[in-house]
Amino acid sequence: MPDYRTVRGMRDFLPEKAETMKYIEGKARKVAQLYGYREIITPVLETYKLLAAKTGEEIRKRMYTFKDLGGRKVALRPEFTASVARLVANTLKAEPKPLRLFCVGSLYRYDEPQQGRFREFWQSNYELMGATQPEADVETVMLTNRFLKDVGLKNFTFKMGHVGILTGILSQEGIEEDVQNKVMHFMDKKQVNKALKLVEDTEATEKCLKTLRKLVETQEENPLKACQKIKKEARGYKKAVKAVNNLQKILKLLSESEEKIEITVDPAFARGLEYYTGIIFEVYVPQLDIALGGGGRYNKLIETFGGEPTPAIGVAHGIDRIMLAMQKQKTPLKKEKKKTAAVIPIQDKMKEEALKISQMLRNAGIPAKLQVMDRNLTNSLADANRREIDYAIIVGERELKEESVAIRNLKKREQKTVKIDNIVKTIKNKE
Ligand code: AMP
């Protein structure tokens, strides 16, 4: 026999996990509706060119890339933003702004599998296109906060930065964009010395290096005070100071909101994706050292794809990691628990009636499993018990003659005879 297994890094989700994933996805969709984000569905497969354009070295080299039978170079999407930007640059070009779009689905990155890092994973993704205002940035943080609260997570904190702080300094020093990207890449990997070495190898001034070192070392718990400190360090770098002012406005709006949102500011914070131009953020729980979600502003991406200049901000949440965080925090699923039934015909000639009764239950919204294995009553009841079903509807000859069935409450081990017309009422009254 050939040995059929899943491909390394791919996972099956058995019913319990699949249910949790769908529960989280449902909460994400609800938040999208509450904030006015309309759902779109984009393909899993896109051209390599689109996905590779601005995604950043780190993700680019981990893409599942191949040629299709028509010889086209294609890739499995490693993120949603490129697909959404493609739509906004073309098909949705004329849509009134702001445009709020939501999508949820699977993504693919050839990462080394480990806790919370998979080759196939799921994200809920929100993009707000057309607005430069800090309120738009605030919205993505607020909706993330709302989503994580709605799934029942606690003690999560945001880490926030602004790519304009580092790029403002580096570009004023005349450092090329591709070197800047590499510096940001090392910063993202927390390899600060490598990042600084790259800067040292350019024409950058001693002041620049000193400023970068100071920024990396900046520690201040209060986000608004942190901004003051950063501004002091970045004095003389006009664009960097402008970036801090922008970050400060966003933080001020957040601090004035009704919600208590925990934020720390990290001026040397960078994220793997190259297209960011403004604030960037990630959200963490204390039980995991990997981010549950991340986002940022990207004002140039849609132009890159041939669209009108369109400022945008987006955020993506890792559904797998949220599930992991829920396990760690022992978060219960707040599910609506419906009473369920197993319908058991005693003999062959009762199968037709059993089928009808099952259908009647389902029409009334009661989940019903029909016994389809020709098991005897004892085994059927044992099976229903094992599956934690609430009621067994036993369709027997004697009861049927009186248009009745026996209903057995499997949890309480009680049984009574009920008219067929009253089965639904009997079960529903117990809900
Ligand atoms: P990114 O698209 O890199 O901004 O990531 C956004 C979020 O997606 C992260 O914060 C994670 O929660 C999730 N994520 C990214 N990569 C993976 C992965 N390989 N496995 C599981 N979740 C991931």
Side-chain angles (χ1 to χ4, degrees):
M1 271 294 278
D3 184 10
Y4 294 122
R5 294 172 189 231
T6 52
V7 173
R8 182 166 151 79
M10 301 289 140
R11 296 158 298 156
D12 295 312
F13 290 88
L14 300 185
E16 207 176 313
K17 280 221 164 133
E19 192 183 13
T20 310
M21 294 282 280
K22 291 295 152 188
Y23 172 83
I24 301 170
E25 188 181 311
K27 296 280 182 197
R29 187 165 287 114
K30 196 141 169 242
V31 168
Q33 282 160 359
L34 281 175
Y35 278 82
Y37 287 67
R38 300 194 64 197
E39 186 162 359
I40 52 169
I41 301 171
T42 61
V44 169
L45 200 67
E46 294 269 12
T47 61
Y48 173 79
K49 202 165 88 191
L50 173 91
L51 297 175
K54 266 293 188 182
T55 203
E57 176 60 18
E58 184 58 25
I59 293 180
R60 192 158 43 233
K61 67 179 190 221
R62 296 184 187 282
M63 284 195 321
Y64 280 86
T65 308
F66 55 97
K67 281 212 167 120
D68 71 8
L69 292 179
R72 298 170 198 93
K73 193 168 180 193
V74 293
L76 297 180
R77 61 184 179 199
E79 51 135 5
F80 279 118
T81 307
S83 305
V84 182
R86 167 181 60 68
L87 271 177
V88 176
N90 302 308
T91 322
L92 299 177
K93 194 155 59 187
E95 283 289 301
K97 306 290 180 305
L99 195 52
R100 289 180 168 93
L101 296 171
F102 165 72
C103 35
V104 61
S106 58
L107 304 161
Y108 302 83
R109 293 182 196 171
Y110 201 78
D111 278 323
E112 207 36 56
Q114 51 189 283
Q115 159 150 291
R117 195 174 296 282
F118 312 104
R119 290 185 178 169
E120 181 185 50
F121 60 97
W122 274 256
Q123 275 185 354
S124 51
N125 184 83
Y126 305 74
E127 310 283 352
L128 170 46
M129 316 266 185
T132 51
Q133 284 73 356
E135 302 88 275
D137 302 68
V138 165
E139 182 169 302
T140 56
V141 178
M142 298 280 281
L143 71 79
T144 301
N145 176 66
R146 172 76 194 230
F147 173 38
L148 296 185
K149 255 173 72 172
D150 280 1
V151 297
L153 286 175
K154 296 198 167 64
N155 302 325
F156 49 87
T157 53
F158 288 83
K159 180 163 97 171
M160 202 177 278
H162 193 303
V163 292
I165 301 172
L166 290 183
T167 59
I169 295 170
L170 298 174
S171 51
Q172 193 167 323
E173 291 285 331
I175 295 171
E176 305 275 332
E177 202 182 311
D178 59 331
V179 181
Q180 287 187 28
N181 283 337
K182 284 190 186 126
V183 173
M184 304 296 269
H185 168 76
F186 284 130
M187 287 287 193
D188 178 42
K189 300 257 125 207
K190 307 284 161 270
Q191 296 171 339
V192 177
N193 287 337
K194 280 193 183 164
L196 292 178
K197 175 81 178 56
L198 270 179
V199 179
E200 254 173 49
D201 292 345
T202 66
E203 307 278 280
T205 59
E206 195 45 46
K207 178 186 169 207
C208 169
L209 280 162
K210 207 170 132 207
T211 308
L212 291 177
R213 270 193 211 102
K214 285 259 183 195
L215 286 180
V216 172
E217 286 158 13
T218 305
Q219 273 188 348
E220 168 58 57
E221 269 186 29
N222 180 304
L224 289 167
K225 279 191 191 152
C227 285
Q228 297 292 2
K229 279 193 179 171
I230 300 163
K231 230 182 333 191
K232 217 168 106 206
E233 299 303 347
R235 240 183 352 238
Y237 291 102
K238 238 170 100 187
K239 282 191 183 154
V241 171
K242 208 170 147 207
V244 190
N245 284 335
N246 176 244
L247 177 61
Q248 213 167 3
K249 268 192 204 147
I250 292 161
L251 288 166
K252 185 145 190 302
L253 281 173
L254 281 167
S255 72
E256 283 162 358
S257 84
E258 301 273 291
E259 289 291 321
K260 202 178 155 345
I261 302 177
E262 290 295 329
I263 303 177
T264 55
V265 168
D266 179 354
F269 174 33
R271 301 201 66 230
L273 301 155
E274 257 168 34
Y275 47 65
Y276 290 122
T277 55
I279 65 149
I280 46 173
F281 62 90
E282 280 179 346
V283 60
Y284 291 85
V285 280
Q287 292 81 5
L288 281 176
D289 59 1
I290 42 177
L292 301 187
R297 175 166 284 285
Y298 55 95
N299 286 350
K300 297 278 187 282
L301 187 65
I302 294 157
E303 280 171 75
T304 314
F305 293 152
E308 300 287 323
T310 312
I313 172 112
V315 61
H317 312 121
I319 293 180
D320 313 70
R321 289 195 191 167
I322 290 173
M323 178 160 71
L324 203 61
M326 287 168 74
Q327 276 164 13
K328 300 257 178 201
Q329 292 195 354
K330 302 195 170 29
T331 313
L333 297 201
K334 287 200 203 97
K335 280 183 303 190
E336 189 197 349
K337 180 85 178 83
K338 282 208 151 145
K339 295 288 181 210
T340 54
V343 183
I344 305 166
I346 300 288
Q347 287 166 342
D348 268 6
K349 55 183 174 188
M350 280 119 221
K351 280 186 175 169
E352 200 184 321
E353 196 58 42
L355 227 130
K356 277 194 205 150
I357 292 171
S358 309
Q359 206 48 30
M360 175 186 81
L361 291 171
R362 295 173 194 134
N363 286 343
I366 299 168
K369 279 189 178 129
L370 178 63
Q371 200 286 104
V372 289
M373 301 287 285
D374 282 344
R375 287 196 176 111
N376 65 24
L377 182 61
T378 312
N379 289 342
S380 296
L381 288 175
D383 182 63
N385 263 321
R386 191 175 55 223
R387 295 175 198 273
E388 297 185 352
I389 288 171
D390 299 293
Y391 294 96
I393 315 291
I394 305 161
V395 189
E397 193 168 22
R398 192 159 35 93
E399 286 86 355
L400 258 194
K401 275 194 191 132
E402 287 165 21
E403 292 180 17
S404 300
V405 293
I407 296 189
R408 189 175 171 81
N409 183 326
L410 294 166
K411 303 271 153 70
K412 292 192 184 153
R413 295 166 179 273
E414 291 166 3
Q415 188 167 316
K416 61 179 175 184
T417 306
V418 171
K419 289 269 182 231
I420 293 178
D421 284 350
N422 289 336
I423 303 176
V424 169
K425 211 160 66 192
T426 308
I427 295 181
K428 286 218 159 168
N429 284 344
K430 297 275 165 49
E431 268 185 344

